[in-house]
Amino acid sequence: MAWKTQESASCKVRFVSRPRKPSTGVNILAVAERAGVSPMTVSNVFHGRGRVSEATRERVQRIIEEVGYKPSEHSLRLQGRAINNIGFLQFSARIESLYVNATVRAIALAMANKGLHLLSRDVARALPDHTERAAEELIKEGAQALILPPPFGEYLDKSDYFKGLSIPAVAILTIAPFENMATVRFDNRTSIFDLVKLLVDRGRRRIALITGHPAHLDCAVRMQAFRDACLAYGIEVREDWVVTGDYTFTSGRLAAQHLLDMADRPDAIVALNDDMAAGAIGVAHAKGISMPDQLAITGFDDVGLAHFLSPSLTTVRQPLDAIARKAVSLITDRPISAPWEKGDFIVPYSLSIRESA
């Protein structure tokens, strides 16, 4: 069962990127396309490095001379100067989200503390080609490295076009390591196990789930973790107690209305974000259901709303500030001549145990 809505119980924070600068001259992408090679090959030919066949070198050099190509300021910075500008992709979402705003805030704060400039770009649609165009626009504006939240990291890690740009990138909040860029994340699966264990330890046996959209990779991982945890702790997963929301307050309210109208209603609800959990708490209040005595409710994110609900919300605290600091440090805290690190870095999360469970 799916609920759709355009309402939200969240606030909005705006981060304004620099205005785009007009393009001047021929860029490396145009030279690469005309020569039928990758941007990396063009760079290698221009700087006299790398292993390039003589025929390819002559063809690329001829085109460079014909069009008058010169390296951009961006590529010159990558060859020896410190990183000053970091690009960040974000949704131009019509539904406001405390979680998205908190993620952007964490990145902006981590960069500001190091004296760096944030260049942000909205992506109208979460598609690979839209993501590639947005990344290229950021690079043209002066981004020397990129920090990529989901799903943009997944798209660009698999993009041959992006690999050819040779710009360092760090993907954050992923569900697994990537092949071509560093990842900074927390353990989604174990965090759900911890939530279910908490509920079981408090005597809950009839546990329902309000999910986000199953197509979201993190949601799919958390849904499977919920099923696996219930199996491990001897809890039956009833399919009529698994309701799909869309991460908004109203979808949580509608899902909880459905669950709590049942004659055999659950005694606990796990919502996969705090906005939906807040909607569920509102429905329980309206029905006169005592929390946590008759019903326990948990959320996921802990980005500000949870502490102020009544009852205050038990939830998984995503370590957004620590993830942002680590992502920025991977880009900046390295010798200029050192290779870019492509490891997988897992940051500890925590449970915020409050009145609702």
Side-chain angles (χ1 to χ4, degrees), residues 14 64 97 123 140 143 146 151 172 223 228 244 252 255 280 310-311:
R14 294 184 180 272
I64 287 174
S97 167
V123 182
K140 288 179 180 178
L146 298 179
I172 61 171
M223 286 178 63
D228 293 344
T244 302
S310 179

Side-chain angles (χ1 to χ4, degrees), residues 193-265:
F193 263 77
D194 285 349
L195 270 184
V196 173
K197 183 179 186 302
L198 176 74
L199 293 171
V200 171
D201 287 347
R202 282 156 173 71
R204 310 295 171 166
R205 308 295 297 177
R206 302 163 60 80
I207 306 175
L209 177 68
I210 303 177
T211 79
H213 197 289
H216 294 183
L217 293 179
D218 57 352
C219 180
V221 168
R222 294 172 195 169
M223 286 178 63
Q224 187 59 52
F226 174 81
R227 293 178 181 277
D228 293 344
C230 286
L231 178 64
Y233 294 116
I235 303 297
E236 178 189 5
V237 177
R238 286 181 40 172
E239 295 306 319
D240 58 338
W241 285 356
V242 177
V243 185
T244 302
D246 63 9
Y247 290 121
T248 63
F249 174 88
T250 299
S251 73
R253 183 171 59 80
L254 294 171
Q257 187 77 46
H258 167 75
L259 292 168
L260 299 180
D261 277 346
M262 293 180 173
D264 55 344
R265 69 191 186 204

Side-chain angles (χ1 to χ4, degrees), residues 30-93:
V31 175
E33 182 177 0
R34 183 166 172 178
V37 298
S38 71
M40 175 60 78
T41 299
V42 175
S43 178
N44 286 341
V45 170
F46 189 92
H47 296 288
R49 66 192 181 199
R51 300 178 62 181
V52 182
S53 71
E54 191 59 32
T56 299
R57 187 179 300 277
E58 289 178 359
R59 183 172 75 255
V60 173
Q61 187 62 49
R62 184 178 68 253
I63 293 171
I64 287 174
E65 293 173 357
E66 287 175 359
V67 302
Y69 166 71
K70 293 182 180 180
S72 66
E73 181 184 356
H74 157 71
S75 63
L76 290 175
R77 281 194 297 264
L78 283 181
Q79 292 172 49
R81 301 183 197 172
I83 297 290
N84 295 310
N85 303 322
I86 298 178
F88 182 79
L89 294 182
Q90 63 185 33
F91 282 115
S92 52

Side-chain angles (χ1 to χ4, degrees), residues 189-207 226 229-230 233 235 267-270 292 296-300 312-317 349-357:
R189 181 175 172 81
T190 303
S191 65
I192 292 293
F193 263 77
D194 285 349
L195 270 184
V196 173
K197 183 179 186 302
L198 176 74
L199 293 171
V200 171
D201 287 347
R202 282 156 173 71
R204 310 295 171 166
R205 308 295 297 177
R206 302 163 60 80
I207 306 175
F226 174 81
C230 286
Y233 294 116
I235 303 297
D267 63 9
I269 296 175
V270 173
I297 296 177
T298 65
F300 204 103
S312 56
L313 181 65
T314 292
T315 185
V316 172
R317 183 173 183 81
Y349 66 90
S350 60
L351 285 184
S352 297
I353 301 175
R354 303 191 180 100
E355 298 167 343
S356 71

Side-chain angles (χ1 to χ4, degrees), residues 91-92 122-131 152 155:
F91 282 115
S92 52
D122 285 350
V123 182
R125 301 181 66 189
L127 297 171
D129 57 336
H130 286 249
T131 303
F152 308 122
Y155 292 153

